[in-house]
Amino acid sequence: SQTIHQWPATLVQPVGSPLSLECTVEGTSNPNLYWYRQAAGRGLQLLFYSVGIGQISSEVPQNLSASRPQDRQFILSSKKLLLSDSGFYLCAWSGERGYGNTIYFGEGSWLTVV
Amino acid sequence: QQPVQSPQAVILREGEDAVINCSSSKALYSVHWYRQKHGEAPVFLMILLKGGEQKGHEKISASFNEKKQQSSLYLTASQLSYSGTYFCGTIRAGTALIFGKGTTLSVSS
């Protein structure tokens, strides 16, 4: 069966520091991969999605970036964090394309920027 | 384009029913429903692919009216475990799932 792992689970970072969140999927090949962010009490905002290695579509340019160095690995990064980057970050995957595209989420990473 | 959900919040007692609506200004080809408990990741409930399709998950069911570009989630005889935030999502460009802002459901005994 397919599983998705995301880490770290929680982190507290000072403003201006770098960020790296990592996500891996097991049990499938060539998945679609996603990063979503949820600010406190808010909805799910799509940040990036990837349909293959090195292929990244950005929804929110800001100061975040994503990379997919391997088929089942997705990394979210920032060179300098802002207070507004605080939130719940969710990696997700799906195995299909098209309108039957069911997305499954990892456990999430809580980021607090201080 | 982000789907629109209504209402924003619902407060129920155990055993009561609720309806959550999801609509889009653009054509819908599928609607995806998720539930998120506080502090946890969203969990997939169901997907509706065809116009007029209805599906069920325990005592939770949904309908999809492709012509009206809307879907409704029906929670029957609500239980405490139904509490959480419900999100509908629609696929954009055949790949990315875009979510509505969510509907918070609170069920008390």
Side-chain angles (χ1 to χ4, degrees):
Chain A
S1 63
Q2 301 87 0
T3 57
I4 179 168
H5 302 284
Q6 182 180 343
W7 69 93
T10 59
L11 64 165
V12 179
Q13 296 284 98
V15 169
S17 64
L19 170 73
S20 180
L21 300 178
E22 195 164 336
C23 170
T24 59
V25 179
E26 297 178 358
T28 187
S29 59
N30 197 28
N32 294 336
L33 296 173
Y34 309 84
W35 280 110
Y36 287 85
R37 176 172 65 193
Q38 189 172 34
R42 305 290 294 275
L44 297 158
Q45 180 188 28
L46 177 66
L47 299 177
F48 301 95
Y49 68 92
S50 171
V51 299
I53 295 175
Q55 301 178 62
I56 310 292
S57 295
S58 172
E59 297 289 313
V60 182
Q62 294 186 355
N63 67 322
L64 298 173
S65 62
S67 62
R68 185 171 177 171
Q70 300 180 42
D71 181 44
R72 292 169 290 166
Q73 183 185 25
F74 206 23
I75 298 171
L76 181 70
S77 304
S78 174
K79 292 182 179 177
K80 289 186 178 181
L81 285 169
L82 307 172
L83 285 174
S84 58
D85 290 325
S86 294
F88 190 39
Y89 287 80
L90 291 152
C91 182
W93 75 276
S94 68
E96 303 173 27
R97 301 208 169 103
Y99 297 102
N101 196 8
T102 299
I103 288 177
Y104 300 96
F105 288 90
E107 294 169 341
S109 297
W110 288 97
L111 170 65
T112 303
V113 183
V114 296
Chain B
Q1 184 132 1
Q2 184 178 38
V4 177
Q5 286 186 237
S6 63
Q8 286 186 317
V10 182
I11 299 174
L12 298 175
R13 290 200 177 271
E14 275 187 295
E16 293 181 337
D17 303 337
V19 179
I20 299 172
N21 300 304
C22 176
S23 64
S24 174
S25 59
K26 296 198 171 185
L28 286 177
Y29 301 98
S30 64
V31 178
H32 307 237
W33 286 98
Y34 288 75
R35 177 171 64 203
Q36 184 180 30
K37 299 282 188 178
H38 182 68
E40 300 178 5
V43 173
F44 172 73
L45 290 177
M46 65 188 78
I47 178 175
L48 298 102
L49 291 173
K50 299 179 183 178
E53 184 179 20
Q54 295 194 15
K55 280 202 169 183
H57 176 80
E58 299 173 346
K59 291 186 178 178
I60 300 173
S61 62
S63 64
F64 178 23
N65 189 319
E66 186 180 331
K67 194 172 182 180
K68 292 185 178 180
Q69 296 173 188
Q70 65 185 34
S71 173
S72 295
L73 189 71
Y74 306 94
L75 299 103
T76 306
S78 59
Q79 307 168 15
L80 292 175
S81 62
Y82 287 2
S83 292
T85 302
Y86 290 79
F87 293 96
C88 71
T90 58
I91 293 287
R92 194 196 63 209
T95 301
L97 188 60
I98 306 299
F99 289 96
K101 292 186 177 180
T103 297
T104 301
L105 177 70
S106 301
V107 182
S108 60
S109 56

